[in-house]
Amino acid sequence: MKVLRGLVTRVPAAEPEEAVARLSARFRFETDCADVASDLSHGVTGFVVVDARSPEKYAAGHVPGALNLPTRSITAESTGDLDRAAMYVTYCDGPHCNGSTKSALRLAELGFRVKEMLGGFHFWTLDGHPVEYATAPA
């Protein structure tokens, strides 16, 4: 009897101890829409949601209470008034966009604790979470 090896099994899985270390470390860098929505709805404090998209996209709909801080505008000056004790959770349009990664990196370079929200605003709306709207700046 011939055993077929497919694409999935061609490379063996990590040992369980390695998998635990690698997979649990991801939670230090990432969160998801469901966890953010749950914490926001239950009034959990200690984190700030950052919308890294343009002011126009932010105005057209964003995570309730999110701070609009477009990636290119993140500087020592623009973040001078932010609470350094808080954790910042960045998001952009969705999995096709790396704006949340760029924003998280810039914030981390400035000394802030950060995580990315997987799936961005696209997954937020797909999951049916509430959306807040604002008027675009003139």
Side-chain angles (χ1 to χ4, degrees):
M1 177 171 154
K2 182 176 178 181
V3 176
L4 295 176
R5 293 206 54 155
L7 298 174
V8 173
T9 59
R10 183 173 294 155
V11 176
E15 291 300 317
E17 301 79 22
E18 292 176 285
V20 167
R22 172 78 180 359
L23 296 172
S24 61
R26 287 184 63 186
F27 292 111
R28 296 177 55 215
F29 304 99
E30 303 168 348
T31 188
D32 67 10
C33 298
D35 289 348
V36 172
S38 177
D39 282 359
L40 290 174
S41 72
H42 289 97
V44 174
T45 60
F47 73 99
V48 176
V49 179
V50 174
D51 186 317
R53 303 173 304 151
S54 70
E56 294 76 23
K57 287 188 176 186
Y58 175 84
H62 56 271
V63 171
L67 168 68
N68 185 217
L69 193 58
T71 303
R72 291 186 178 143
S73 72
I74 298 174
T75 64
E77 294 75 28
S78 69
T79 60
D81 293 334
L82 296 182
D83 179 2
R84 295 217 169 247
M87 175 192 305
Y88 290 83
V89 176
T90 63
Y91 74 89
C92 60
D93 280 327
H96 61 283
C97 173
N98 66 5
S100 65
T101 305
K102 289 176 182 177
S103 292
L105 175 59
R106 286 185 186 200
L107 288 168
E109 289 171 339
L110 292 169
F112 293 93
R113 294 180 308 124
V114 297
K115 288 188 179 189
E116 286 186 88
M117 185 176 79
L118 298 175
F121 192 66
H122 179 70
F123 280 17
W124 181 268
T125 57
L126 276 179
D127 288 349
H129 299 302
V131 173
E132 190 172 82
Y133 301 91
T135 306

